[in-house]
Amino acid sequence: MDRKHIIQKGFPFTIYHNVSDTMAFSVCIPFEKDGLAEGNIQIGRFTPAVAVLADYFGPYTTLGNAHVALQQWIAESQLEMYGDPIEMYVTGPPEWTDSTRWHTKIYYPVK
């Protein structure tokens, strides 16, 4: 991004396309202006959607528990997961050595 003079505009996030023995995910960084796709880098945009959100504070090793709790809440609320979940990394190791202060937003698109 530095080489292309592209300025980050928001928190990095991961889209989980498939979670199983073999994971498929996209690592994403929002930026200020359109960039050029190059190599494995792709440019994309989101279609607006309704989503549920969990604010998780803690280490990444127990982040899966927050996903399970959110999935249970979605089922109990009679909503249907629709699309790929997203983890947005608000704070983490670069900002805090204390992992209890790491903040991850977990989004699940629903209908």
Side-chain angles (χ1 to χ4, degrees), residues 54-72:
D55 281 300
Y56 169 78
F57 290 86
Y60 300 140
T61 55
T62 55
L63 189 56
N65 297 336
H67 279 273
V68 170
L70 190 54
Q71 290 167 8
Q72 288 174 341

Side-chain angles (χ1 to χ4, degrees), residues 5-108:
H5 305 288
I6 297 172
I7 299 168
Q8 183 173 330
K9 194 76 166 178
F11 301 113
F13 59 97
T14 302
I15 304 169
Y16 289 93
H17 308 292
N18 183 29
V19 179
S20 64
D21 292 339
T22 305
M23 294 184 66
F25 58 92
S26 298
V27 176
C28 308
I29 300 174
F31 52 88
E32 188 171 88
K33 63 179 182 175
D34 286 340
L36 299 174
E38 181 179 297
N40 289 329
I41 297 173
Q42 298 177 1
I43 307 299
R45 296 186 188 277
F46 280 111
T47 302
V50 174
V52 295
L53 163 67
D55 281 300
Y56 169 78
F57 290 86
Y60 300 140
T61 55
T62 55
L63 189 56
N65 297 336
H67 279 273
V68 170
L70 190 54
Q71 290 167 8
Q72 288 174 341
W73 185 88
I74 290 168
E76 290 168 3
S77 300
Q78 298 180 340
L79 297 170
E80 181 183 339
M81 290 184 271
Y82 182 75
D84 299 328
I86 297 169
E87 291 179 356
M88 181 179 289
Y89 310 106
V90 179
T91 59
E95 293 83 17
W96 301 104
T97 56
D98 177 2
S99 64
T100 64
R101 299 184 78 170
W102 298 354
H103 181 195
T104 304
K105 291 180 174 283
I106 304 169
Y107 295 89
Y108 274 83

